[in-house]
Each structure stands twice: as C-alpha cells, then as structure tokens.
Amino acid sequence: MTHVADIPTVFLVEHDLDLRGVVAEGLRVDGMNIVEFHRSAQALAAIAEGARPAVLVIAPEGDGLITCKHIGQAKAMSPRTQIVLVLEPGGDPEIPPGSHVLVKPFKPSKLSRFIRLAVAKPALRSTLQASYRRAHSAPAGATPGANL
C-alpha cells in the first residue's frame, strides 16, 4: 500500500466531552496524533504559543461568530494549518474562506478522509478524491478499502 500523506498533528475542538472522545479515539485508531480541546480559545492559545497543527477540526460553540474569529486568528498565526469546520445539520454560520465543511453526524472514518484530503498536496487531492469516490460507490466488500 502506498503511503499518501503524513498527518502529524490534529487539533480537535469539541465542547461535548463524549462526542470528542469518540471522534478522537477513531482518529487515533486511524494513526493520527490528536490534541483535544474543549473550547476554540484553548486551541488558539496553543497556536499562539507556537504549536503548528496540520489541521484544526472545530465545531462552533454557541456563538459561531466567535468561532469564526478564532479560526481567522489561527490562520493568521499558522497559515499552513488547514481548517475543518464541523457543523450541525441546518446550521448556517459564516464559513471562513478556505475551510473544509463537514456536517454532523458522521463517522470518524469520514473525518479521517477530510483530514487526509485537507493536508494532501494539491496534486494528490484529486487522486485521493477519485480513489475515495470509487471506493464509496463500489459495493461493500468489492474492493479493498470500500468502507472508507
């Protein structure tokens, strides 16, 4: 199997402790280094202190405008950090430019795919997207990785 992309560190911001634990464990099983935060301000403070996560996965906490402000600040301090914004169904917050959007509910494996696509070099993104589409559209068990 070809190793496509390294996933050094993912900052996971989710105020629901149980949900955050399930998602973090699923991502760890997929081989990712996860740093968990209860609030976006905590992740922002870590970035301000010099942490440079590959991806910031963030669910808006009440006031989506504060979350968007924190995302903008994180991008200003760490421009290479990719953002995955996790939204509630029907949620319509202002989405910061360049953010990847994932709507709840989802399995950790779907978030893993989003993270891999977010950190992949642009030349690899289309290859990964095509691979995921083929695997997702094939009947279960028909091809290796069909349950991505």
Side-chain angles (χ1 to χ4, degrees), residues 40-64:
S40 59
Q42 296 166 324
L44 185 62
I47 292 170
E49 291 173 7
R52 295 298 178 255
V55 179
L56 172 62
V57 177
I58 187 166
E61 352 160 322
D63 185 355

Side-chain angles (χ1 to χ4, degrees), residues 14-134:
E14 170 59 60
H15 66 277
D16 181 319
L17 179 63
D18 294 331
L19 177 59
R20 186 175 72 233
V22 168
V23 172
E25 182 58 26
L27 295 175
R28 285 184 182 107
V29 166
D30 280 350
M32 297 184 192
N33 179 27
I34 307 300
V35 180
E36 299 178 49
F37 297 94
H38 183 70
R39 299 277 182 221
S40 59
Q42 296 166 324
L44 185 62
I47 292 170
E49 291 173 7
R52 295 298 178 255
V55 179
L56 172 62
V57 177
I58 187 166
E61 352 160 322
D63 185 355
L65 293 176
I66 291 173
T67 300
C68 289
K69 178 182 173 187
H70 287 169
I71 289 171
Q73 292 170 338
K75 286 297 281 183
M77 290 184 281
S78 182
R80 290 186 171 178
T81 296
Q82 296 296 308
I83 306 296
V84 175
L85 187 60
V86 178
L87 301 177
E88 295 288 338
D92 193 21
E94 183 177 325
I95 298 171
S99 297
H100 306 274
V101 177
L102 183 60
V103 178
K104 292 178 183 177
F106 55 84
K107 293 180 181 179
S109 60
K110 185 170 185 176
L111 180 55
S112 290
R113 286 193 308 275
F114 262 69
I115 291 169
R116 286 185 184 104
L117 287 171
V119 299
K121 293 184 178 166
L124 294 176
R125 281 193 190 122
S126 61
T127 302
L128 283 171
Q129 287 171 332
S131 174
Y132 291 147
R133 261 187 250 116
R134 278 192 309 274

